[in-house]
Amino acid sequence: MSAVVVQDLVKRYGTLSAIDGIDFEVASGTCFGSLGPNGAGKTTLIRILTGLVKPTSGKAIVAGWDVSKKPDAVRGAIGVVSQAMTTDLDLSGRENLDIYARYYSVPSKERRERIAYLLDRVELSDRAKDLVATYSGGMRRRLEIARGLIHKPKILFLDEPTIGLDPQSRRTVWDLLHQFLQDEHLTIFLTTHYMDEADFLCDRIAIIDRGKIKIMDSPALLKESIPGDDIVEIVTVARQDGMVNPPLAEVVAELSAHNFVEQIIQKEEGPYTEGDATESHHLQVYVSNAAEAIPVLMSSLQKQSLKVQSIGLKQCSLEDVFIHYTGRSIRAEEGHKVNFFIGAGVPRRMGG
Ligand SMILES: Nc1ncnc2c1ncn2[C@@H]1O[C@H](COP(=O)(O)OP(=O)(O)O)[C@@H](O)[C@H]1O
Ligand SMILES: [Mg+2]
């Protein structure tokens, strides 16, 4: 059975389509991630699914109920951890959980047991009596996850669960969610703009950009779906000998003449350690066989008298998947444009 079914969902704010006609299903007992940059529509989507915002059109079925028709039934079956921290600073950790348990009418004996169990699971038992105001960000987030699970929901929704946390706290939250997924017969729906988070936690990922799903698959298949088996990363820098490097178009033409080259992407940011950025290039060359390609690419670059700062083999990451399907980098706030040179046509898995 599907925990979530979304059909042709649209949410407009005036002329802006925050959600622009999306369809997907989330299988029960799995972790589904909506991955996208700022403004992609992730929070809007989670708000629709949790009954906080009405869609303009389309359908969302959550835990078997239509969110628009049975919002109360949906609310009873789900837990929500919103992007902003919402636990009460003036109450202790235990009191925060107790209020929620009462709100969901958890009977008193069960309430005590559930609170003790969850505090233990999120490693806050020894801080349960302390005011949340004294908690670190990571502790507060863990308490919010416990709070979201207080009434044994079928589905837990989390909007950017580790935003703003230090790397170690992020890792703790991941491990926690991973464990809960296994132990609580839970379905998890999360949004994130962190590639590594989606990669670690999610069974399936929908890459979302400007309100649309660009592609949806398991992390492994997403990585397989982009052209080239290997990515050779080349960074060239301005020459020190008074000569100028050949223009980018010439470099690209030379490199793409090799038949093992499937696609070349120019990244806008460095890493340049020397010289003038306008004369420096950061290229990712997607090739079928890096071991064969690297020496040939090196001699091409030498033939053009390019000053190469580095050339190396890069593992395909979800970042590369994201760039391939959206033409933008997720890291930059506004999304840096990247230039595709060859093979940037219809992605293999979408073109069908
Ligand atoms: N209440 C609102 N009124 C008008 N525009 C909104 C509202 N909520 C979100 N938006 C717009 O919808 C788009 C998607 O926003 P959001 O869902 O918050 O994205 P994300 O969570 O992926 O960063 C953005 O352009 C945002 O400005
Ligand atoms: Mg958001």
Side-chain angles (χ1 to χ4, degrees), residues 37-44 83 159-160 163 191:
N38 265 342
K42 304 182 298 295
T43 296
T44 305
Q83 185 171 332
D159 195 2
E160 304 262 12
I163 198 165
T191 78

Side-chain angles (χ1 to χ4, degrees), residues 4-65:
V4 179
V5 180
V6 167
Q7 288 166 349
D8 201 16
L9 199 67
V10 173
K11 177 65 189 181
R12 289 205 190 86
Y13 291 110
T15 56
L16 178 107
S17 297
I19 297 294
D20 198 6
I22 66 177
D23 299 82
F24 63 87
E25 291 193 20
V26 179
S28 290
T30 65
C31 180
F32 184 93
S34 139
L35 172 70
N38 265 342
K42 304 182 298 295
T43 296
T44 305
L45 177 59
I46 228 168
R47 286 196 161 149
I48 294 172
L49 297 180
T50 56
L52 292 173
V53 164
K54 285 222 176 309
T56 307
S57 63
K59 210 176 195 182
I61 312 285
V62 174
W65 287 286

